[in-house]
Amino acid sequence: MWSYNPQIDPPAPVLDVVIRHPHILEQFRLVPAKLDTGADLSAIPQSIADELGLLPVQTITAEGFDGTRTTLDTYAVTLEIAKARFRYIEVILIPEEHALVGRDILNHFYARLNGPTLTFDLRLSA
């Protein structure tokens, strides 16, 4: 069980994830990540992609919450979250210090958000 980050207004479910280079697993960074059930894809900080030397995999068209469409590159990473490892998943880059864990990853978990106690849990099995 993890606690929401109370420094975010309103508090949000945040946990540390490991982002690894997809081919050089010894290259990795530990990054705080917000759970984002509204995001189709997960996203990592641009700075982490630069540090790990990630290269674009493909270009996609994405639509933001406001309906604006934009063209973005995806980048392959290995992502470790809640004792699970996802090899060679494609993520997009964001100009933030934290990552976003979207439904591409969250849909593998049973997630329980307990807003009144500001805690959450992620499990691979019920």
Side-chain angles (χ1 to χ4, degrees), residues 60-77:
I60 62 169
T61 300
E63 187 173 317
F65 66 90
D66 62 356
T68 303
R69 290 181 179 232
T70 187
T71 301
L72 300 170
D73 289 329
T74 64
Y75 296 78
V77 298

Side-chain angles (χ1 to χ4, degrees), residues 96-115:
E96 304 288 340
E97 296 299 316
H98 62 272
L100 295 176
V101 179
R103 290 190 316 278
D104 58 330
I105 297 296
L106 291 174
N107 283 349
H108 294 275
F109 290 94
Y110 291 88
R112 182 177 59 184
L113 303 178
N114 187 336

Side-chain angles (χ1 to χ4, degrees), residues 48-125:
I48 299 298
D50 294 342
E51 288 176 30
L52 295 177
L54 302 178
L55 299 173
V57 173
Q58 68 173 322
T59 301
I60 62 169
T61 300
E63 187 173 317
F65 66 90
D66 62 356
T68 303
R69 290 181 179 232
T70 187
T71 301
L72 300 170
D73 289 329
T74 64
Y75 296 78
V77 298
T78 293
L79 183 74
E80 296 173 14
I81 176 174
K83 299 183 182 177
R85 179 181 279 186
F86 297 89
R87 296 179 190 262
Y88 205 86
I89 63 159
E90 290 184 41
V91 297
I92 59 173
L93 305 183
I94 55 174
E96 304 288 340
E97 296 299 316
H98 62 272
L100 295 176
V101 179
R103 290 190 316 278
D104 58 330
I105 297 296
L106 291 174
N107 283 349
H108 294 275
F109 290 94
Y110 291 88
R112 182 177 59 184
L113 303 178
N114 187 336
T117 65
L118 298 180
T119 59
F120 68 99
D121 198 17
L122 288 178
R123 296 177 189 259
L124 291 172
S125 62

